[in-house]
Amino acid sequence: MHNMNRVQMLDFRERGDDRGHLVIVEGNIDIPFEIKRVFYIYGSDADVVRGQHANRISEFVLINVAGKSKVKVKDGEGNEAIFCLNRPHTGIYIPNMVWKDMYDFSKDSVLLCLASTHYDPYEYIRDYDDFIRIINEVNITQ
Ligand code: TYD
């Protein structure tokens, strides 16, 4: 089974009261990995496409804590799916070896990214043809 089948939307616990909202995301409880890294993306124009990579090792959860964006995931075998991130208590889980494009950022978009690894540029696959080649190699050896 390709990892793209494991991509899923996650609904996080919300503790709202008259003081406002509080959303809880705990590693290995609300998401399927221990959080090693947090980064966030904001100030991207509507016509910008970010991501455009797959990761050999890293798993991610992406949450639009403000505003909206879209994520397109691809398995390198012709299948793709599009997810809308538009709620602060909802995220998308993206396992390793899944191609991802983030786009359609609203002006107020703040995209919070939780990662299972520390940053290592060498585990990023930034060329789509390389990604297809590596996916095919994995399929042959399985
Ligand atoms: P990039 O991977 O292009 O961001 P996106 O996935 O949104 O397209 O990262 C932009 C720059 O930031 C690039 O020079 C690498 C650097 N960077 C780090 O140093 N550490 C990190 O954890 C991340 C995600 C990026």
Side-chain angles (χ1 to χ4, degrees), residues 37-39 41 44 49-53 60 100 102 105 111 113 115 117-121 124 126:
R37 175 164 51 119
V38 174
F39 56 96
I41 295 165
S44 292
V49 182
R50 300 200 61 120
Q52 301 194 281
H53 50 62
F60 296 91
K100 46 204 169 296
M102 293 91 83
F105 295 95
L111 182 60
C113 306
T117 60
H118 293 298
Y119 184 63
D120 172 7
Y124 278 69
R126 292 188 178 272

Side-chain angles (χ1 to χ4, degrees), residues 9-25:
M9 296 300 292
L10 302 173
D11 240 334
F12 301 120
R13 291 175 283 156
E14 214 182 345
R15 293 278 175 278
D17 57 33
D18 52 9
R19 299 169 299 163
H21 297 281
L22 187 152
V23 178
I24 304 145
V25 185

Side-chain angles (χ1 to χ4, degrees), residues 72-97:
K72 182 190 280 187
V73 291
K74 298 186 194 180
D75 67 358
E77 297 173 339
N79 303 304
E80 59 182 53
I82 294 172
F83 296 85
C84 296
L85 300 179
N86 56 10
R87 281 179 299 228
H89 59 89
T90 303
I92 181 173
Y93 167 65
I94 306 178
N96 64 320
M97 290 307 286

Side-chain angles (χ1 to χ4, degrees), residues 69-140:
S69 70
K70 292 198 181 95
V71 186
K72 182 190 280 187
V73 291
K74 298 186 194 180
D75 67 358
E77 297 173 339
N79 303 304
E80 59 182 53
I82 294 172
F83 296 85
C84 296
L85 300 179
N86 56 10
R87 281 179 299 228
H89 59 89
T90 303
I92 181 173
Y93 167 65
I94 306 178
N96 64 320
M97 290 307 286
V98 172
W99 190 269
K100 46 204 169 296
D101 297 332
M102 293 91 83
Y103 62 103
D104 258 6
F105 295 95
S106 63
K107 275 214 176 326
D108 58 346
S109 170
V110 181
L111 182 60
L112 178 68
C113 306
L114 312 175
S116 64
T117 60
H118 293 298
Y119 184 63
D120 172 7
Y122 297 106
E123 64 101 19
Y124 278 69
I125 305 166
R126 292 188 178 272
D127 183 282
Y128 192 67
D129 290 335
D130 280 349
F131 175 60
I132 292 175
R133 192 173 44 73
I134 294 163
I135 286 287
N136 287 330
E137 280 168 13
V138 171
N139 286 347
I140 287 164

